[in-house]
Amino acid sequence: MNKTTETQDRAAPAMDVDPGSSGYAIKTPFRVSLNAGGQIVELVCHKALRILPGKRLVCCGKWTDKKIVAKFFLDPNKAAKHCEREENGLSALRKAGIKTPALLFKGALHQVALPVLIFKKLDPADNLEILWKKAESHSRRIDLLKKIVRIIAVQHEAGIKQDDIHLANFMLFKDQIYTLDGSAVDFRNLGRPLPAAASLNNLGLFLAQFYPEFDELIKKIFALYISKRSILFKQNDCERLIKKVFLYREYKKKSYLKKIFRECSAFACKKNHNSLTICDRQYQSELMDTFLADPDNFFKTGTFLKQGNTSTVALVKIDGRQLVVKRYNIKSFRHSFRYLFRKSRASVSWKNAQRLFYVLNIPTPKPVAFLEKRVGLFKKKSYFITEYIDGINAYNLFHSNEVEDIAGRKHLVCMFGRLLQSLSDALLSHGDFKASNFIIANDKIFLLDLDAMQEHSFRWMFRKKFRRDCLRLTQNLKDLPELSEMFKNRITGLHL
C-alpha cells in the first residue's frame, strides 16, 4: 500500500455514508459498510469517477486490500433491476469472448440495502476518451480508432451492441481493449451475427461522437469493420453509414446544447427570481462561487481590457487561473425592454462557445460560466466568462514582421482558410469579423465575440451572411494589398 492510499484511508470518515444523499457534492474519501450474505465488510472510496444523482455512483477505492471500482445503484425503485441489467450485460460480453473487468463482489449497502457491484480495477489502464484527447498525432488517433472498431465488429458478430457506445466505455489495459458499462449492452441477439441495418446504426452512433475533421476516415474504418464480419454488406452501405453519422451527430449536438442551461454532471446551475448562473463543474470552488455572486467586485483587482457603453471586458484571476469576464451592460429601461423576449448576449455567447469548443472543435477560449441578473422579467447585466488566451490579435499580426515573408503569409492564410471552411461546413456565420476578434496562439486561430453568431437552417441564408463576414475580414487588409489578394483567393476556393 502506498502512502497516498494510507492517508486517504485514514482521512475517510469512520461512519457509514449514504452515497445517494449528497448529489453532485459527494465528498471523498468516504467509507461504507457492505452486507455480504450476512457478513459486514468495509469499502473505502477514494475518488468519484461518475455521479448520476439518485441513479448511479461509480467510485474507485479499496476493498479487502484490493484496488477496485465500485458501482452503487441508488434508485430505490429500480436499483435491483439496474444492477441485474449491468450483471447480465457484462456476462454476455464475457460469453462472446470480449474482455471486461472481473466482477469481485455483489452485495448491498448495509444500512440502506441498495445493490453494489465491485470490479477489479485495471491498473495501470487508460480510458480511451482520455487517450484520444491526449493523442499527439493523427496516426495515434487512427491506431486507437482501429483497435476499438475491431472490438465493435467482434461485438456485432456475436449479436451484441452497446446502446450507449462511446469512447469512455472502453479501457486500454496491457494493450488490450476492455469494454465497460454492462447496463447499456443489448444482448437479445446473442449468438447470431447482428444484421447489417442494426450494425450500421450502432457503428454510426459510435462514429458520430468524433469531430467532423475525422470524417475522411469513415471509408477506411468501414473497410476494416466489414473485413471482420461474416455477413455481406451492400455497395452503398458506406454512404448509408455516412448519412447515419451526420444524423446522429445532429441529434447529439442538439441534446448537448439543451443540457448546457441546466443542472447536470457537466454544469452546476443556480436559479432564482433575480439571477441565473451556470458554471462548468471543473471550475467550481468557494472562490468561484464568491466571484459569480458579485463579479463587479473582482473588477477592482482585475485589469480592464475594454470599457464601452454596451460591454466591459476585464481580466481577473480566480483560483490561480486567468479568466476573461465580459459584462454586457443594459444602458436604459428601453434597452432592457428590447431583451424582454430575447436571450441575453451572455447566454448566446455561452451557447455558441459550447458549440464551437465541444461540438465542432473550432478554437475558441474555453467557456467557464455565464451569469444573468434580472429584476422580475427584465434582464439587467449579464456576464460571460472564459479562459484567457495569451496570444496576438489578428490586426497586430497582419501588420507585424512575422507575416512579411511569403511563407508566413501563406501559413496565416491557410490557417484562416481552415477556420472559415469549418464554419462553412457547420453553416455558422459570425456577424463581426473584425481583426481584433481573432487571437492567434499555439499555431491556432481562436474566435472571439460570439454573441452575434448564428447557425442557419438554410444554406442560401448562410451564404448571404457568410459573404458579409468574409467582406468584413478583407476590410481589415485595405492597406495590405498582397495579403488581401491572398485572402480573397482563399475565400473564393471555399466550398460553400
Side-chain angles (χ1 to χ4, degrees):
M1 187 190 305
N2 60 41
K3 290 183 179 179
T4 303
T5 304
E6 285 180 347
T7 304
Q8 287 176 322
D9 290 350
R10 285 196 298 270
M15 74 292 287
D16 275 346
V17 172
D18 177 6
S21 63
S22 304
Y24 289 110
I26 191 165
K27 294 182 179 180
T28 54
F30 65 85
R31 298 174 189 267
V32 291
S33 295
L34 305 177
N35 189 333
Q39 184 181 358
I40 307 304
V41 293
E42 185 181 78
L43 167 65
V44 179
C45 291
H46 297 147
K47 181 181 179 183
L49 301 177
R50 192 172 186 216
I51 305 172
L52 292 175
K55 294 182 180 179
R56 283 192 304 279
L57 170 67
V58 183
C59 295
C60 64
K62 193 181 70 173
W63 170 77
T64 63
D65 290 325
K66 295 185 180 77
K67 290 183 179 180
I68 54 89
V69 172
K71 184 173 270 194
F72 301 89
F73 299 87
L74 308 175
D75 188 329
N77 300 315
K78 299 179 180 179
K81 182 181 176 181
H82 291 168
C83 181
E84 184 182 12
R85 189 168 64 190
E86 177 83 21
E87 256 196 300
N88 291 341
L90 294 175
S91 176
L93 289 171
R94 292 189 199 99
K95 285 178 183 176
I98 295 165
K99 292 184 180 297
T100 189
L103 178 62
L104 302 178
F105 171 85
K106 178 186 177 182
L109 291 170
H110 175 50
Q111 288 191 324
V112 289
L114 290 174
V116 181
L117 297 178
I118 295 179
F119 301 93
K120 181 180 179 181
K121 185 180 181 184
L122 305 176
D123 189 35
D126 293 292
N127 181 285
L128 266 293
E129 185 176 45
I130 295 171
L131 280 179
W132 179 270
K133 290 176 180 177
K134 286 183 177 178
E136 296 179 353
S137 67
H138 200 53
S139 60
R140 175 59 178 152
R141 291 191 184 95
I142 293 171
D143 183 51
L144 287 172
L145 195 53
K146 285 179 176 178
K147 285 183 177 180
I148 303 170
V149 168
R150 287 190 187 100
I151 297 299
I152 294 172
V154 173
Q155 290 181 7
H156 291 178
E157 190 63 20
I160 292 173
K161 66 183 178 73
Q162 291 174 268
D163 291 330
D164 184 26
I165 188 167
H166 53 81
L167 283 172
N169 277 344
F170 296 94
M171 296 284 286
L172 185 65
F173 176 62
K174 294 183 178 178
D175 208 37
Q176 297 286 321
I177 300 287
Y178 282 69
T179 303
L180 313 179
D181 195 8
S183 63
V185 172
D186 182 345
F187 54 88
R188 290 172 296 178
N189 213 48
L190 186 63
R192 293 167 293 163
L194 208 63
S199 301
L200 290 174
N201 275 331
N202 198 237
L203 186 59
L205 179 63
F206 172 74
L207 294 174
Q209 72 188 291
F210 300 105
Y211 297 128
E213 64 193 83
F214 298 105
D215 285 350
E216 62 189 40
L217 300 177
I218 292 177
K219 290 184 179 180
K220 293 179 182 178
I221 291 301
F222 186 60
L224 171 65
Y225 171 82
I226 61 176
S227 72
K228 303 295 179 182
R229 296 297 312 276
S230 63
I231 63 171
L232 294 175
F233 287 85
K234 297 176 183 176
Q235 277 189 330
N236 66 339
D237 277 345
C238 188
E239 285 69 28
R240 287 174 60 199
L241 175 62
I242 291 169
K243 288 180 181 178
K244 290 184 184 298
V245 170
F246 292 165
L247 287 172
Y248 280 124
R249 187 177 287 149
E250 186 67 15
Y251 171 79
K252 283 175 174 284
K253 179 192 72 177
K254 289 179 179 178
S255 178
Y256 177 77
L257 293 179
K258 279 182 183 177
K259 78 175 186 178
I260 66 173
F261 291 104
R262 60 173 171 81
E263 183 88 1
C264 63
S265 57
F267 305 106
C269 174
K270 292 181 182 178
K271 188 176 183 180
N272 55 44
H273 66 283
N274 59 14
S275 70
L276 169 65
T277 306
I278 307 286
C279 181
D280 189 315
R281 289 193 186 276
Q282 295 177 17
Y283 298 85
Q284 264 199 299
S285 67
E286 288 185 16
L287 184 58
M288 177 60 80
D289 288 343
T290 303
F291 164 67
L292 291 173
D294 186 12
D296 289 347
N297 190 45
F298 283 72
F299 282 13
K300 299 171 187 176
T301 56
T303 304
F304 284 104
L305 305 178
K306 176 188 175 183
Q307 289 182 282
N309 289 329
T310 58
S311 65
T312 302
V313 184
L315 183 65
V316 300
K317 199 166 190 177
I318 309 292
D319 295 320
R321 297 187 180 104
Q322 286 191 305
L323 303 178
V324 175
V325 185
K326 187 167 188 177
R327 183 182 69 200
Y328 295 96
N329 305 316
I330 296 294
K331 295 182 289 185
S332 62
F333 175 78
R334 185 179 177 183
H335 192 197
S336 179
F337 189 79
R338 281 174 54 197
Y339 280 92
L340 184 59
F341 303 107
R342 293 166 58 184
K343 293 178 179 177
S344 69
R345 292 170 70 191
S347 70
V348 174
S349 294
W350 171 254
K351 183 176 182 178
N352 283 325
Q354 295 288 338
R355 186 201 313 272
L356 294 184
F357 193 92
Y358 289 105
V359 178
L360 298 171
N361 198 34
I362 294 175
T364 192
K366 188 175 182 180
V368 173
F370 96 93
L371 165 67
E372 289 178 357
K373 291 186 177 289
R374 304 165 176 169
V375 176
L377 295 174
F378 293 94
K379 298 179 181 72
K380 292 176 68 180
K381 301 171 187 173
S382 62
Y383 303 78
F384 175 51
I385 299 101
T386 70
E387 287 190 348
Y388 171 68
I389 300 296
D390 187 11
I392 181 171
N393 76 49
Y395 182 84
N396 292 336
L397 184 61
F398 290 157
H399 295 84
S400 71
N401 295 332
E402 291 183 41
V403 292
E404 283 189 350
D405 62 282
I406 189 68
R409 289 200 294 267
K410 281 184 176 178
H411 181 62
L412 181 63
V413 171
C414 185
M415 287 170 63
F416 266 94
R418 286 196 297 270
L419 172 63
L420 295 174
Q421 188 62 64
S422 295
L423 292 171
S424 173
D425 292 342
L427 297 183
L428 288 173
S429 63
H430 181 268
D432 189 10
F433 263 6
K434 61 184 179 186
S436 58
N437 281 336
F438 301 93
I439 296 291
I440 291 84
N442 302 321
D443 209 33
K444 293 180 181 178
I445 301 176
F446 291 81
L447 192 54
L448 313 181
D449 205 3
L450 308 178
D451 56 275
M453 177 175 278
Q454 288 181 280
E455 181 183 32
H456 300 276
S457 300
F458 302 102
R459 190 164 286 275
W460 65 268
M461 178 58 76
F462 160 73
R463 287 194 185 111
K464 180 181 177 181
K465 294 287 185 76
F466 194 67
R467 286 191 180 108
R468 224 177 266 173
D469 281 343
C470 292
L471 179 62
R472 179 69 181 90
L473 177 61
T474 55
Q475 285 174 351
N476 296 292
L477 304 165
K478 283 182 178 178
D479 54 342
L480 300 167
E482 288 184 16
L483 190 58
S484 176
E485 190 62 29
M486 292 173 73
F487 265 86
K488 287 177 181 177
N489 289 338
R490 186 67 184 85
I491 290 167
T492 303
L494 294 174
H495 302 291
L496 301 182

